[in-house]
């Protein structure tokens, strides 16, 4: 009897926290974008901010559906509507290129 009650409590507790996920990729190459920042806003005004992992995936406790704004250096910032688990989001690279890069170094010896 105790085992059945423990199992029931575990099932209720684990279903109470629904985890949502989505994957961020480069539109041109299809490669995962590691370290992209997702600003998440749920339909019930819950908010979250997460960073994509090595597979480009972000996991959040905000339930689907929700809006997410994705930012990544060298790519256009874009807002997506997440409507299903594991949805793939494609970001387009920003076509701005640097003509010149200047690196300055200052050396201050210890006294």
């Amino acid at each position: 009897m105790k085992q059945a009650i423990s199992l029931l409590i575990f099932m209720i507790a684990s279903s109470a926290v629904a985890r949502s996920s989505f994957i961020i990729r480069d539109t041109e190459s299809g490669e995962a974008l590691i370290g992209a920042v997702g600003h998440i806003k749920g339909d019930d005004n819950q908010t979250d901010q997460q960073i994509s992992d090595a597979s480009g995936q972000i996991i959040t406790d905000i339930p689907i559906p929700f809006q997410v704004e994705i930012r990544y250096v060298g790519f256009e910032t874009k807002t997506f509507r997440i409507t299903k688990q594991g949805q793939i989001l494609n970001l387009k690279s920003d076509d701005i290129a640097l003509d010149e890069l200047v690196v300055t170094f200052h050396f201050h010896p210890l006294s």
Side-chain angles (χ1 to χ4, degrees), residues 24-98:
I24 305 162
R25 296 201 175 153
D26 179 348
T27 299
E28 294 174 15
S29 69
E31 292 182 14
L33 296 180
I34 302 165
V37 178
H39 299 279
I40 303 161
K41 184 174 184 204
D43 286 350
D44 55 0
N45 292 325
Q46 287 180 302
T47 60
D48 191 13
Q49 180 173 312
Q50 297 290 333
I51 297 174
S52 62
D53 63 15
S55 63
Q57 183 177 41
I58 289 182
I59 299 173
T60 181
D61 292 331
I62 307 277
I64 293 172
F66 57 82
Q67 300 267 52
V68 60
E69 179 185 72
I70 304 296
R71 294 174 182 241
Y72 191 71
V73 174
F75 286 76
E76 296 177 351
T77 298
K78 190 170 180 184
T79 301
F80 296 90
R81 178 101 175 131
I82 304 299
T83 57
K84 63 180 181 179
Q85 187 75 286
Q87 191 170 332
I88 296 176
L89 312 179
N90 292 303
L91 282 188
K92 184 179 176 186
S93 65
D94 201 351
D95 292 334
I96 297 173
L98 294 176

